[in-house]
């Protein structure tokens, strides 16, 4: 019996040793896998930094090593781990990062069987897709205070630092009453972007004007569709704004002889009218070019702040028809229901007459309120339709909303908040149910309540973009 027990004990100790040491090996393997995964993420983020590929590869390698060391404690369960030299390959717009790590675990009971060490290894690969990004920044007058301007400039420039200047393609534009493309995509189709020039442009932004968002979305989409003829596998619009749209450009009919009918005119509305004092609506008639904010801010002979210059809402948003026929949109109550339009039988806007600096009559206030509601609702509908056209082409839309007015001010006649419109263009599930489409790309919406929240929101959007780029 003693002999049998002794023989059996050796076998039982071997089985127990196998169980214990194998368990240690699995724990080390799990920690090794986690450290390598984290190192891949860190390397993927760091590879965007640097002005040359050599600098980018160095930054990715340094980040991978640092993150691995921080997440695999020295001597974990008595083991010794090493991370092999990372492999970073940049080929056109795609970045591939390969990592391999090994660990040696000293055995316990298995040493009785003649085994001293258990070697554990793991590998990982991250592939970052090429990216085309249209970056749109709101510079309207509602953000003209010094602290907000500084936060917008700081957050916008920091956002650009998340992307690779040699592999990603980025176009920068800003908008208010009109849109200016500061730095377009490269016309020769080469990859990369000029971050220094973009930073200088952002630093020199001036703030003022109304919110003509649909033109900004069109410019972002046009850059992706037409300036780039060989699109990347991931296309994104990032749209930053502090309010809902209240303006749009179209071909308006004029109500007076000084403004020629059929000219492209930017139509804006500052706020609802009141019988208590000076009319607060402004209707800016500005025939001619609308692609430059400088041109839009010039007053022409067809400008009378308190007169009814615009006779009727046009049937379509057609300002870009010559260069992009697909951008022609209907201005009707059948468009996405951010708000419905009130139309007389003949489609004309209410004739207000000249108010000048006096107090408008109740009848004039009613007429101006109808016009105010129509312009704001049409602007909202057009913005949503343009964003939906972009998403239908597989373009992701990410939105950053800033300021308390997005949560307090409802759209004229629609009852929806400004935030609702931004959620709609991003196609997020917690937005209004009428505009969510699970079949289209689902973006991200981030709300920044204060200037200090702008940079963290930008970081959230960048993180989400980089995740879908992997």
């Amino acid at each position: 019996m003693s002999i049998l027990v002794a023989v059996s004990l050796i076998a039982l100790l071997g089985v127990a040793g196998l169980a214990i040491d194998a368990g240690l090996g699995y724990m080390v393997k799990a920690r090794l896998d986690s450290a390598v995964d984290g190192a891949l993420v860190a390397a993927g983020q760091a590879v965007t930094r640097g002005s040359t590929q050599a600098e980018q590869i160095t930054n990715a390698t340094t980040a991978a090593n640092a993150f691995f060391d921080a997440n695999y404690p020295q001597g974990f369960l008595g083991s010794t781990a090493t991370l092999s030299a990372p492999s970073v390959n940049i080929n056109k717009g795609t970045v591939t990062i390969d990592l391999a790590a090994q660990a040696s675990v000293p055995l316990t009971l298995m040493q009785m069987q003649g085994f001293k060490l258990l070697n554990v290894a793991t590998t990982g690969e991250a592939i970052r897709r090429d990216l085309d990004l249209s970056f749109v920044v709101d510079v309207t007058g509602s953000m003209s205070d010094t602290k907000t301007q500084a936060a917008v400039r700081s957050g916008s420039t920091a956002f650009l630092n998340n992307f690779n200047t040699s592999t990603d393609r980025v176009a920068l534009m800003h908008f208010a009453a009109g849109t200016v493309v500061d730095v377009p995509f490269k016309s020769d189709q080469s990859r990369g972007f000029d971050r220094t020039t973009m930073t200088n442009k952002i630093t020199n932004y001036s703030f003022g004007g109304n919110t003509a968002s649909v033109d900004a979305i069109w410019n972002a989409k046009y850059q992706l569709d037409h300036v780039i003829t060989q699109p990347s596998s991931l296309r994104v619009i990032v749209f930053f704004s502090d309010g809902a749209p209240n303006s749009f450009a179209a071909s308006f009919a004029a109500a007076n002889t000084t403004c020629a009918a059929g000219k492209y005119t930017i139509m804006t509305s500052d706020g609802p009218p009141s019988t208590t004092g000076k009319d607060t609506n402004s209707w800016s008639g500005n025939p001619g070019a609308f692609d430059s904010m400088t041109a839009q801010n010039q007053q022409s002979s067809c400008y009378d702040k308190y007169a009814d210059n615009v006779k009727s809402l046009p049937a379509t948003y057609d300002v870009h028809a010559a260069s992009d026929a697909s951008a022609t949109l209907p201005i009707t109550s059948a468009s996405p229901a951010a708000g419905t339009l009130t139309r007389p039988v003949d489609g004309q806007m209410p004739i207000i007459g000249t108010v000048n600096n006096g107090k408008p009559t109740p009848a004039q206030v009613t007429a101006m309120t109808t016009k105010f509601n129509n312009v704001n609702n049409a602007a909202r509908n057009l913005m949503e339709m343009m964003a939906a056209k972009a998403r239908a082409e597989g373009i992701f839309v990410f939105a950053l909303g800033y300021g308390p007015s997005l949560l307090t001010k409802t759209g004229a006649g629609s009852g929806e908040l400004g935030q609702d419109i931004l959620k709609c263009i991003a196609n997020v599930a917690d937005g209004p149910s009428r505009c969510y489409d699970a079949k289209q790309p689902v973006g991200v919406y981030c709300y920044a309540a204060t200037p200090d929240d702008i940079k963290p929101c930008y970081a959230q959007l960048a993180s989400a973009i980089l995740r879908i780029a992997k």
Side-chain angles (χ1 to χ4, degrees):
M1 291 293 296
S2 298
I3 294 173
L4 289 174
V5 169
V7 173
S8 300
L9 185 60
I10 295 174
L12 289 172
L13 287 174
V15 172
L18 181 62
I20 293 172
D21 290 330
L24 289 175
Y26 277 115
M27 294 173 67
V28 169
K29 177 69 161 58
R31 191 60 179 257
L32 203 63
D33 286 340
S34 177
V36 167
D37 288 344
L40 282 169
V41 173
Q45 294 174 338
V47 79
T48 64
R49 298 191 291 270
S51 57
T52 66
Q53 286 195 10
E55 290 179 357
Q56 292 158 3
I57 292 173
T58 298
N59 290 334
T61 300
T62 301
N65 287 323
F67 201 94
F68 181 83
D69 292 341
N71 286 273
Y72 194 96
Q74 197 69 275
F76 175 69
L77 295 179
S79 66
T80 302
T82 57
L83 179 68
S84 299
S87 170
V88 182
N89 180 38
I90 300 176
N91 181 20
K92 296 181 179 179
T94 302
V95 180
T96 304
I97 303 173
D98 291 289
L99 295 181
Q102 309 80 33
S104 297
V105 187
L107 299 176
T108 56
L109 295 178
M110 287 297 292
Q111 291 194 30
M112 298 177 60
Q113 307 296 324
F115 300 100
K116 302 299 182 183
L117 293 174
L118 175 63
N119 294 316
V120 178
T122 189
T123 60
E125 182 179 72
I127 299 176
R128 188 175 180 276
R129 289 192 288 166
D130 47 4
L131 169 69
D132 297 339
L133 171 67
S134 284
F135 183 27
V136 185
V137 182
D138 183 339
V139 295
T140 51
S142 52
M143 295 192 295
S144 58
D145 65 278
T146 303
K147 185 174 182 180
T148 299
Q149 288 190 38
V152 171
R153 292 190 177 98
S154 174
S156 299
T157 53
F159 175 74
L160 290 173
N161 291 333
N162 291 283
F163 305 102
N164 193 311
T165 55
S166 63
T167 61
D168 295 328
R169 293 188 288 205
V170 179
L172 172 69
M173 60 206 75
H174 67 280
F175 80 99
T179 303
V180 174
V181 179
D182 301 297
V183 183
F185 289 121
K186 295 180 179 180
S187 58
D188 63 0
Q189 306 302 309
S190 61
R191 304 209 63 83
F193 67 98
D194 187 343
R195 186 157 50 203
T196 300
T197 298
M198 290 185 179
T199 298
N200 290 336
K201 292 286 187 180
I202 292 171
T203 300
N204 293 310
Y205 280 165
S206 59
F207 290 71
N210 286 72
T211 312
S213 303
V214 63
D215 191 57
I217 296 290
W218 177 83
N219 274 278
K221 179 177 175 292
Y222 184 85
Q223 286 288 313
L224 292 166
D225 283 345
H226 297 280
V227 177
I228 292 178
T229 59
Q230 298 174 336
S232 295
S233 56
L234 176 62
R235 301 193 296 162
V236 177
I237 293 173
V238 172
F239 183 86
F240 167 80
S241 182
D242 76 328
N246 59 13
S247 311
F248 66 96
S251 182
F252 293 103
N256 58 48
T257 57
T258 61
C259 183
K263 294 291 186 181
Y264 290 140
T265 305
I266 188 74
M267 187 175 183
T268 65
S269 56
D270 289 338
S274 170
T275 57
T276 60
K278 184 177 178 180
D279 169 28
T280 56
N281 269 328
S282 70
W283 312 100
S284 306
N286 181 37
F290 55 86
D291 284 333
S292 163
M293 293 183 72
T294 301
Q296 286 190 334
N297 290 334
Q298 293 173 350
Q299 297 179 9
S300 69
S301 60
C302 177
Y303 178 87
D304 185 346
K305 189 171 183 180
Y306 304 109
D308 182 44
N309 284 334
V310 177
K311 182 178 181 181
S312 63
L313 284 176
T316 58
Y317 170 85
D318 58 358
V319 292
H320 301 291
S323 57
D324 181 12
S326 67
T328 300
L329 300 172
I331 303 177
T332 68
S333 58
S335 55
T340 56
L341 310 181
T342 303
R343 286 178 180 272
V345 175
D346 62 0
Q348 293 188 356
M349 299 293 291
I351 299 299
I352 297 171
T354 301
V355 178
N356 296 319
N357 294 326
K359 297 180 179 180
T361 66
Q364 287 175 324
V365 169
T366 298
M368 287 186 288
T369 299
T370 298
K371 175 182 279 189
F372 175 76
N373 290 348
N374 280 352
V375 171
N376 277 272
N377 289 337
R380 287 179 169 226
N381 291 345
L382 290 169
M383 179 186 182
E384 286 190 40
M385 284 189 285
M386 191 64 74
K389 288 179 76 68
R391 296 195 310 269
E393 298 174 5
I395 298 172
F396 286 82
V397 180
F398 289 75
L400 195 167
Y402 161 70
S405 65
L406 289 175
L407 304 182
T408 57
K409 292 185 178 180
T410 59
S414 71
E416 289 191 343
L417 297 171
Q419 178 173 260
D420 294 330
I421 302 302
L422 296 180
K423 286 185 174 182
C424 278
I425 68 168
N427 194 35
V428 294
D430 65 341
S433 58
R434 62 171 179 76
C435 60
Y436 175 64
D437 186 351
K439 296 179 181 179
Q440 290 190 342
V442 176
V444 174
Y445 169 72
C446 184
Y447 173 64
T450 69
D452 292 336
D453 297 325
I454 291 177
K455 187 174 288 185
C457 256
Y458 267 132
Q460 179 181 334
L461 297 189
S463 177
I465 294 169
L466 293 174
R467 280 200 303 273
I468 62 175
K470 291 182 175 61

